[in-house]
């Protein structure tokens, strides 16, 4: 079994800043995993407050946020942090070269019903070291990320890392308290048959996406279904399943959420980099996610990603209009 340390050692990256950040993510995720597994009912409650996005904050959102922030603030290579749970950016070490953006606990509205949740991270270098940390530092295009990662707390706890055009998956071995390489060189199947969309939004989405969903529901000539619908409501879990099995994830603009639901910088960008490095693509319907230049740190976007042929098929509906 190849541990995460051995994996990075074999790549001569064990002393790199990048590995130190990944090590922080691992250590933080082990703590979050432990809190989740402990199942203390007190931790699985809502805080009865709204965050900057006007969403209910769960106690575990705050626990996960504090755990990762603690590690990142103590990492001398990290200059600043953006978190879904904090309205403003957080200063780290002014000599550090790296910035990190995170959703510390994605899918947290599922916590109380025992459904998988995740943590998402986008890692990139501060472009201009001669100016003080500011929000502009985080408004980079997704293609300028150096590394992206997520942790999925599911039937097992899995860490997926994308860097250097590669994607690798590591599983937490609870006995050893360490992550081991279990999914080397991940590639998303080019074609798939899973479509993931919240169909409660079906009457308030772009016609092109409506038509694509109708296409997914068409029967074959012998009356069998051609696709299967799956939507957990935890982006990490939905994306991970589709990456492993072949499928498409769609969160479009809706009349309730005219800019979409998902956050560009710390949800869509990292997932889009993982998609890209594992041979797939992502879009908002018009523009590649990795080409979008954010205008604000908590900006939302429509998000489409998954098996290339499925994404291309969906985008062809836009061209046909
Ligand atoms: P929470 O972290 O507030 O549960 O939001 C999760 C999420 O951002 C993403 O993981 C899901 O894909 C999406 O929301 C589900 O949103 P809907 O409930 O509108 O379908």
């Amino acid at each position: 079994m190849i541990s995460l340390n051995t994996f990075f050692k074999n790549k001569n990256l064990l002393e790199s800043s990048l590995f130190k950040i990944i090590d922080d993510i691992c250590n933080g995720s082990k703590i979050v995993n432990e809190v989740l597994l402990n199942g203390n009912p007190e931790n699985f409650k809502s805080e009865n407050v709204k965050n900057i996005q006007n969403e209910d904050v769960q106690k575990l959102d705050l626990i996960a946020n504090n755990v990762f922030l603690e590690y990142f603030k103590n990492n001398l290579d990290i200059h600043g942090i953006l978190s879904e749970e904090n309205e403003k950016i957080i200063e780290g070490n002014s000599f550090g070269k790296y910035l990190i953006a995170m959703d510390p606990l994605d899918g947290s509205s599922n916590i109380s019903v025992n459904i998988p949740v995740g943590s998402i991270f986008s890692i990139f270098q501060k472009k201009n070291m001669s100016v003080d940390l500011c929000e502009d530092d985080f408004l980079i295009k997704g293609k300028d990320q150096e590394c992206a990662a997520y942790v999925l707390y599911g039937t097992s706890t899995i860490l997926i890392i994308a860097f250097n055009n590669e994607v690798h998956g590591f599983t937490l071995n609870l006995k050893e308290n360490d992550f081991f390489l279990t999914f080397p060189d991940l590639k998303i199947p080019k074609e798939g048959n899973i479509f993931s969309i919240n169909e409660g939004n079906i009457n308030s989405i772009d016609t092109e996406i409506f038509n694509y969903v109708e296409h997914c529901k068409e029967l074959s000539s012998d009356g069998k279904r051609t696709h299967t619908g799956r939507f957990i409501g935890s982006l990490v879990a939905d994306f991970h399943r589709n990456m492993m099995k072949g499928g498409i994830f769609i969160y479009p603009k809706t009349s309730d959420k005219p800019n979409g639901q998902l956050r560009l910088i710390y949800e869509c960008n990292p997932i889009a980099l993982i998609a890209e490095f594992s041979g797939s693509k992502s879009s908002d319907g018009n523009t590649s996610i990795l080409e979008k230049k954010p205008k604000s740190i908590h900006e939302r976007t429509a998000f489409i990603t998954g098996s290339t042929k499925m994404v291309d098929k969906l985008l062809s509906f836009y061209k046909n209009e």
Side-chain angles (χ1 to χ4, degrees):
M1 285 206 300
I2 300 174
S3 70
L4 189 82
N5 278 37
T6 309
F7 179 83
F8 275 86
K9 193 173 169 198
N10 292 345
K11 289 188 177 287
N12 281 327
L13 288 171
L14 203 53
E15 298 305 320
S16 66
S17 304
L18 192 62
F19 178 70
K20 286 178 194 151
I21 297 173
I22 288 169
D23 199 39
D24 284 343
I25 291 174
C26 286
N27 289 328
S29 70
K30 286 178 194 170
I31 297 176
V32 173
N33 188 56
E34 214 174 292
V35 177
L36 289 167
L37 291 180
N38 275 346
N40 177 353
E42 279 311 304
N43 288 337
F44 288 73
K45 289 184 176 159
S46 167
E47 283 285 281
N48 291 324
V49 287
K50 303 268 183 201
N51 65 10
I52 162 80
Q53 342 270 348
N54 204 28
E55 294 161 345
D56 279 336
V57 175
Q58 310 291 319
K59 201 162 186 178
L60 272 163
D61 281 319
L62 301 184
I63 294 174
N65 196 39
N66 290 339
V67 165
F68 288 115
L69 281 181
E70 197 58 32
Y71 275 104
F72 297 152
K73 281 199 241 169
N74 284 310
N75 183 325
L76 294 180
D77 291 308
I78 297 181
H79 196 119
I81 308 142
L82 165 64
S83 168
E84 182 190 11
E85 299 305 328
N86 297 89
E87 184 176 357
K88 298 205 171 2
I89 55 173
I90 296 155
E91 298 217 13
N93 172 25
S94 56
F95 295 104
K97 285 203 175 95
Y98 280 89
L99 299 175
I100 187 152
M102 67 167 166
D103 179 352
L105 207 64
D106 170 65
S108 55
S109 57
N110 285 323
I111 287 171
S112 60
V113 288
N114 215 3
I115 281 175
V117 288
S119 304
I120 315 177
F121 306 91
S122 166
I123 302 162
F124 44 97
Q125 295 203 19
K126 181 168 162 39
K127 282 201 173 136
N128 191 347
M129 285 295 284
S130 59
V131 296
D132 287 349
L133 184 74
C134 61
E135 291 193 356
D136 271 2
D137 288 324
F138 288 87
L139 306 182
I140 61 145
K141 288 187 180 176
K143 67 177 182 185
D144 294 332
Q145 295 169 102
E146 188 168 315
C147 173
Y150 64 72
V151 180
L152 172 59
Y153 311 94
T155 43
S156 57
T157 296
I158 286 182
L159 166 71
I160 300 291
I161 312 171
F163 69 105
N164 281 349
N165 264 307
E166 297 170 8
V167 178
H168 303 284
F170 301 82
T171 304
L172 178 61
N173 179 317
L174 289 176
K175 227 169 161 185
E176 305 284 336
N177 195 30
D178 207 353
F179 283 90
F180 290 89
L181 181 66
T182 39
F183 302 98
D185 205 13
L186 277 168
K187 297 282 174 232
I188 304 185
K190 295 273 171 241
E191 184 63 286
N193 71 351
I194 302 169
F195 68 103
S196 310
I197 184 168
N198 183 341
E199 284 208 59
N201 292 323
I202 202 78
N203 289 322
S204 72
I205 60 178
D206 289 351
T207 332
E208 294 83 354
I209 294 181
F210 181 92
N211 290 341
Y212 176 74
V213 173
E214 289 296 296
H215 153 80
C216 289
K217 291 178 180 174
E218 280 166 11
L219 298 179
S220 62
S221 51
D222 55 355
K224 305 240 168 74
R225 75 178 185 208
T226 54
H227 293 74
T228 187
R230 294 280 186 273
F231 190 75
I232 295 174
S234 284
L235 168 65
V236 174
D238 277 311
F239 173 79
H240 186 76
R241 181 204 50 240
N242 293 356
M243 176 169 73
M244 303 305 281
K245 294 188 163 183
I248 187 167
F249 175 90
I250 311 164
Y251 207 114
K253 292 179 277 172
T254 67
S255 47
D256 285 356
K257 294 165 184 161
N259 299 316
Q261 146 84 356
L262 299 171
R263 279 46 63 109
L264 174 56
I265 298 178
Y266 43 81
E267 291 182 318
C268 301
N269 273 346
I271 298 287
L273 195 80
I274 292 166
E276 175 96 2
F277 287 180
S278 57
S280 171
K281 57 167 72 168
S282 57
S283 171
D284 66 1
N286 294 304
T287 309
S288 158
I289 292 296
L290 296 177
E291 291 293 342
K292 279 172 78 104
K293 173 97 171 70
K295 292 186 187 67
S296 62
I297 54 174
H298 294 290
E299 184 171 319
R300 294 175 192 262
T301 179
F303 191 41
I304 300 161
T305 190
S307 293
T308 312
K309 285 190 179 170
M310 296 182 87
V311 175
D312 283 342
K313 179 74 188 172
L314 189 161
L315 295 179
S316 74
F317 282 79
Y318 280 85
K319 289 173 198 141
N320 292 341
E321 285 297 310

